[in-house]
Amino acid sequence: MDAAEFRRRGREMVDYVADYLENIEQRPVYPDVEPGYLRSLIPTEAPMEPENYDDIIRDVERVIMPGVTHWHSPYFYAYYPAASSYPAMLADMLCGAIGCIGFSWAASPACTELETVMLDWFGKMLQLPECFIAGTHGHGGGVIQGTASEATLMSLLAARCKAVRWVQASNPKKSEAEIFSKLVAYTSEQAHSSVERAALIGGVMMRKVPTDNCFAVRGDILKEMVEKDKAAGLIPFYFCATLGTTPSCGFDSITELGPICNGENMWMHIDAAYAGSAFICPEFRPLLNGVEFADSFNLNPHKWLLVNFDCSTMWVKNRADIIGAFKMEPLYLKHENQESGRHWQIPLGRRFRSLKMWFVFRMYGLKGLQAHIRKQVALAKEFESLVRADKRFEICAEVILGLVCFRLKGSNELNQKLLKMITKSREIHLVPCQLSGRFVLRFAICARATESRHIQQAWQHITQLTFELLQEPNH
């Protein structure tokens, strides 16, 4: 493919993408295929000779689309949003074209510097304390990770390194292995599984902290667990708080938890992967009160801020804690301006992801991004009102942002059957969670294209299936 054909095919692809997104609600949101469906549709080996581009494009519809779960359909209400916007897609095209591997300042100065500035822009939109902003006299700053899972792992490993150095400062003869065996981290029983996975990778113990009736961790419970572990000779070193838990969008009480972590010399990381984007709105910013106690903070613009996957933003209060834990300087990476480089992530190579933030922030503006968040919260409130108006159903957690947790009044088995009927219909897509031992359905406002009419149609579909379910014997 030469430049001339690339121009032509590029225009065709933009048209294909625009048509796909404009007409996405006409496709079944959930695929009707079985595991292994794809293997029989394509050859068992790669072709020896070049194939025709038109044939490849035709196979996208024949092979790929039948097996796609359409995350950007207005009938997709599972998990949390996967952000998407036309400006971000265009920026991704440019990122692919530049194709730099931004592992250091010298490898691509613009890649390094734009990322630092975009994290400062975003940090100011969130009204983060100045200590998290790189362009001030503070010692912190921000970096783009691939996912919140990576951000959690980075924070835990940095905290582990800091804890080892702190212990060895007063006990030089203690080995790292001996210290590792005593380290203990904490997180909510409602936290994402990636937090526990970070502890497995980091080789440290992880304690699950029970939550209150709002599915939030409170200070008194954490303090009690820390004191008990210290009395047993363990070394509490890390706590991962969650703002917007995956099951119910619950919020840990960081104003209570932060002073405890600071007083015990424990690293506090805040995972706000989904909910964090809402903090650009003044009415939701109080949910972030207490961030000043945190050592690190993370959210995913690729969930709710119209920036395509992958783009997970992370800020640290003291960048030396991250850099000091992971900095390596082989000769081939040395450069006179190397201190301007990035030693803040697991992989060495990094894409020019800040371009997406730059395009989206400029083309939407803060007001446009706030309007997007508020619209989706309003749609969730609309769905909540529909559920509350039907006496057969109940709301299972406070609706704060764009997630509604609800269920049919009755047994877990009854709700499991309802979800199976919803999934089998492939008209809307939901996933469940478990809250206080109850099987609960999650309804998350996800797609940028979702409107009130889609919410109304989704509820009508749910109530129709509910009617059919309750007509069955034994119900």
Side-chain angles (χ1 to χ4, degrees):
M1 183 181 289
D2 58 17
E5 186 180 3
F6 176 71
R7 291 178 192 274
R8 180 165 61 90
R9 298 302 191 182
R11 294 187 188 99
E12 290 174 1
M13 182 57 76
V14 168
D15 284 340
Y16 180 87
V17 169
D19 288 343
Y20 166 73
L21 291 173
E22 282 189 327
N23 300 295
I24 194 170
E25 65 182 270
Q26 296 174 19
R27 297 176 183 262
V29 63
Y30 193 69
D32 184 17
V33 295
E34 297 295 330
Y37 89 95
L38 189 145
R39 185 173 290 275
S40 65
L41 299 178
I42 60 176
T44 57
E45 297 178 0
M48 290 293 292
E49 300 295 335
E51 293 191 359
N52 185 279
Y53 180 83
D54 290 323
D55 291 338
I56 297 171
I57 290 299
R58 277 192 289 270
D59 278 350
V60 169
E61 285 294 336
R62 183 181 69 87
V63 177
I64 303 302
M65 286 301 176
V68 170
T69 300
H70 298 285
W71 280 61
H72 301 288
S73 167
Y75 299 115
F76 183 92
Y77 305 108
Y79 313 110
Y80 275 131
S84 175
S85 69
Y86 294 120
M89 286 184 240
L90 292 173
D92 247 351
M93 287 177 63
L94 181 57
C95 171
I98 293 173
C100 65
I101 311 297
F103 52 76
S104 68
W105 183 88
S108 189
C111 179
T112 298
E113 295 194 14
L114 185 65
E115 183 167 329
T116 301
V117 175
M118 286 302 99
L119 270 290
D120 277 5
W121 276 21
F122 195 16
K124 291 172 183 176
M125 289 161 63
L126 293 161
Q127 299 178 47
L128 291 182
E130 278 204 358
C131 57
F132 289 100
I133 307 299
T136 66
H137 299 296
H139 300 287
V143 64
I144 299 176
Q145 304 285 359
T147 63
S149 303
E150 291 177 31
T152 300
L153 177 59
M154 287 295 295
S155 66
L156 183 137
L157 294 177
R160 188 187 70 175
C161 180
K162 189 176 181 180
V164 167
R165 290 173 180 171
W166 178 74
V167 172
Q168 287 183 332
S170 55
N171 298 278
K173 292 184 179 180
K174 283 203 170 184
S175 67
E176 282 194 3
E178 186 180 356
I179 298 169
F180 282 2
S181 70
K182 300 290 187 182
L183 293 178
V184 58
Y186 306 85
T187 195
S188 166
E189 63 183 4
Q190 296 286 314
H192 193 272
S193 59
S194 60
V195 182
E196 189 173 6
R197 192 165 181 259
L200 288 172
I201 296 171
V204 298
M205 289 179 277
M206 174 71 76
R207 295 269 198 263
K208 296 287 189 71
V209 185
T211 57
D212 65 9
N213 292 335
C214 295
F215 309 107
V217 172
R218 305 304 299 260
D220 55 345
I221 301 296
L222 177 65
K223 188 169 182 63
E224 182 181 331
M225 292 179 69
V226 168
E227 292 295 340
K228 186 175 180 180
D229 285 338
K230 285 169 62 181
L234 300 177
I235 306 170
F237 81 104
Y238 177 86
F239 174 68
C240 180
T242 306
L243 298 181
T245 58
T246 301
S248 67
C249 200
F251 290 81
D252 290 341
S253 182
I254 57 175
T255 53
E256 295 179 13
L257 299 162
I260 295 170
C261 292
N262 289 181
E264 297 290 345
N265 200 28
M266 293 166 55
W267 183 298
M268 184 166 82
H269 175 67
I270 296 176
D271 174 8
Y274 161 68
S277 294
F279 304 155
I280 65 172
C281 300
E283 64 269 33
F284 299 124
R285 177 56 179 78
L287 294 167
L288 189 56
N289 288 349
V291 68
E292 63 272 14
F293 298 111
D295 295 278
S296 54
F297 167 63
N298 164 252
L299 68 88
N300 291 347
H302 69 229
K303 274 193 169 66
W304 208 9
L305 213 64
L306 301 173
V307 178
N308 293 21
F309 187 86
D310 59 339
C311 182
S312 183
T313 49
M314 177 185 184
W315 291 265
V316 292
K317 186 176 286 182
N318 187 349
R319 54 183 176 266
D321 289 337
I322 290 280
I323 297 169
F326 304 104
K327 188 172 182 179
M328 302 291 288
E329 294 287 17
L331 182 61
Y332 52 83
L333 294 182
K334 286 186 180 294
H335 186 271
E336 60 182 333
N337 293 314
Q338 187 58 29
E339 286 309 309
S340 300
R342 313 297 271 173
H343 296 276
W344 302 35
Q345 71 284 327
I346 296 166
L348 176 64
R350 52 195 302 102
R351 297 186 301 115
F352 203 163
R353 290 176 291 205
S354 56
L355 279 173
K356 294 185 286 191
M357 298 181 71
W358 195 42
F359 275 45
V360 169
F361 288 173
R362 294 181 69 184
M363 293 202 71
Y364 280 89
L366 177 56
K367 288 184 177 179
L369 295 171
Q370 290 171 335
H372 171 68
I373 297 292
R374 287 167 177 151
K375 175 183 176 182
Q376 295 215 320
V377 173
L379 290 172
K381 291 291 186 181
E382 180 180 350
F383 184 79
E384 178 191 14
S385 68
L386 293 170
V387 176
R388 289 192 183 279
D390 191 322
K391 298 188 184 303
R392 296 172 299 177
F393 289 87
E394 59 184 331
I395 296 292
C396 303
E398 183 182 0
V399 179
I400 299 174
L401 297 176
L403 175 69
V404 182
C405 292
F406 73 107
R407 72 195 302 272
L408 263 175
K409 293 175 181 176
S411 67
N412 285 345
E413 181 186 18
L414 182 67
N415 283 276
Q416 289 167 355
K417 286 183 178 179
L418 176 59
L419 182 61
K420 283 182 180 179
M421 292 173 70
I422 291 171
T423 302
K424 189 176 180 181
S425 73
R426 300 192 304 282
E427 291 196 23
I428 63 174
H429 190 41
L430 309 180
V431 293
C433 68
Q434 190 169 40
L435 298 175
S436 301
R438 298 190 300 171
F439 187 90
V440 172
L441 281 63
R442 296 171 74 262
F443 189 96
I445 309 300
C446 291
R448 176 172 50 87
T450 306
E451 301 287 350
S452 176
R453 65 181 176 87
H454 301 114
I455 302 299
Q456 297 288 335
Q457 289 174 28
W459 179 244
Q460 186 176 12
H461 182 63
I462 291 169
T463 54
Q464 176 60 39
L465 293 178
T466 299
F467 175 78
E468 295 173 12
L469 174 61
L470 296 179
Q471 295 302 304
E472 294 179 1
N474 303 322
H475 295 311

